[in-house]
Amino acid sequence: MKLFVDTGNVKEVEALAAIGILDGVTTNPTLLAKEGGDYRRILARICETVKGPVSAEVVATDAAGMIREGRDLATLDPHIVVKVPFTRDGVEACRMLASEGARVNVTLIFSAPQAWLAAKAGAAYVSPFVGRLDDIGTTGMNLVREIVDIFDNFEYLTEVLVASVRNPIHIVEAARMGADVVTAPAAVIDQCFKHPLTDIGLERFLKDWEKAQAARV
Ligand code: E4P
């Protein structure tokens, strides 16, 4: 399963890319607005750093506007994946942009039929938002299972990109279900590194080693 970081922050991307575990990045208007500055330069920097798919979202709501913005975003860097919201216009824009060779991530997916329609429109990725479904008292990961099953039945090339991830359990479940990609905030990826028994174990190993070295002199 590929790991993307869900951020508009260049430093967060650099830190994860340096470790060598990062496959791509997803941004959205909220995340980029938080950073301030020139969003085009930020996206270009992120592309240069990760050298993998970087989702950049359109803000137009009509198909013609989305197509125009999508074409423009795609000129920023070959790694750009144009992100469009799942609406009728978004699906139309996806079909057009995909037919021109752009990779499209259809976002704000909250149901299996939406994912199916996006796949039919040639989406490279669909992004089910699991955390936001959990927030309204449903089990977001059930949607991922449904989409993975449907895509497997018909061998769609569209990748299932699990989004709106809130904790490491979402990541583990996504991997067990066979999702293609998970995108998580840097803080959640950080949680995956941590286990108190690892820290305690390492401390004990080092102490025992030091003790043995001291006894030799
Ligand atoms: C995905 O592409 C979105 O940017 C993101 O996962 C949304 O997550 P949120 O529900 O935490 O805002």
Side-chain angles (χ1 to χ4, degrees):
M1 183 172 70
K2 282 169 263 187
L3 173 66
F4 291 3
V5 63
D6 197 27
T7 187
N9 184 283
V10 174
K11 283 203 164 63
E12 286 183 350
V13 176
E14 283 171 351
L16 288 163
I19 302 173
I21 54 164
L22 194 62
D23 300 298
V25 177
T26 50
T27 68
N28 65 37
T30 305
L31 292 170
L32 285 172
K34 248 196 259 171
E35 297 305 314
D38 178 352
Y39 76 94
R40 298 174 71 88
R41 286 184 60 176
I42 294 175
L43 286 168
R45 254 311 270 298
I46 290 176
C47 287
E48 241 170 69
T49 307
V50 72
K51 295 183 180 62
V54 175
S55 289
E57 189 162 343
V58 301
V59 289
T61 53
D62 62 304
M66 289 187 204
I67 293 165
R68 205 170 33 248
E69 274 182 39
R71 285 176 183 151
D72 177 54
L73 286 168
T75 63
L76 283 179
D77 190 285
H79 293 105
I80 289 286
V81 172
V82 179
K83 204 174 181 191
V84 302
F86 183 89
T87 57
R88 280 174 178 269
D89 285 78
V91 171
E92 187 183 331
C94 173
R95 175 81 274 167
M96 175 58 80
L97 290 164
S99 73
E100 294 173 358
R103 283 174 301 165
V104 182
N105 174 359
V106 180
T107 189
L108 291 169
I109 296 281
F110 290 99
S111 77
Q114 290 180 329
W116 169 66
L117 289 171
K120 287 185 71 64
Y125 304 93
V126 289
S127 293
F129 275 37
V130 297
R132 293 193 196 185
L133 281 169
D134 289 355
D135 290 346
I136 60 159
T138 58
T139 305
M141 290 310 298
N142 288 347
L143 172 60
V144 174
R145 192 187 301 281
E146 282 183 326
I147 299 172
V148 169
D149 284 351
I150 293 167
F151 286 11
D152 280 354
N153 279 346
F154 300 101
E155 295 176 4
Y156 285 130
L157 297 178
T158 307
E159 295 190 37
V160 181
L161 192 167
V162 178
S164 186
V165 159
R166 301 277 160 77
N167 54 59
I169 297 170
H170 281 148
I171 298 180
V172 172
E173 288 186 347
R176 293 184 70 177
M177 288 175 189
D180 302 284
V181 190
V182 69
T183 188
V188 174
I189 298 173
D190 213 40
Q191 286 178 295
C192 293
F193 275 95
K194 289 183 186 145
H195 198 290
L197 290 179
T198 305
D199 298 341
I200 292 166
L202 179 59
E203 202 186 318
R204 195 179 300 160
F205 283 153
L206 296 178
K207 259 197 200 133
D208 288 346
W209 184 253
E210 258 172 49
K211 240 193 274 167
Q213 296 305 306
R216 280 191 188 167
V217 277

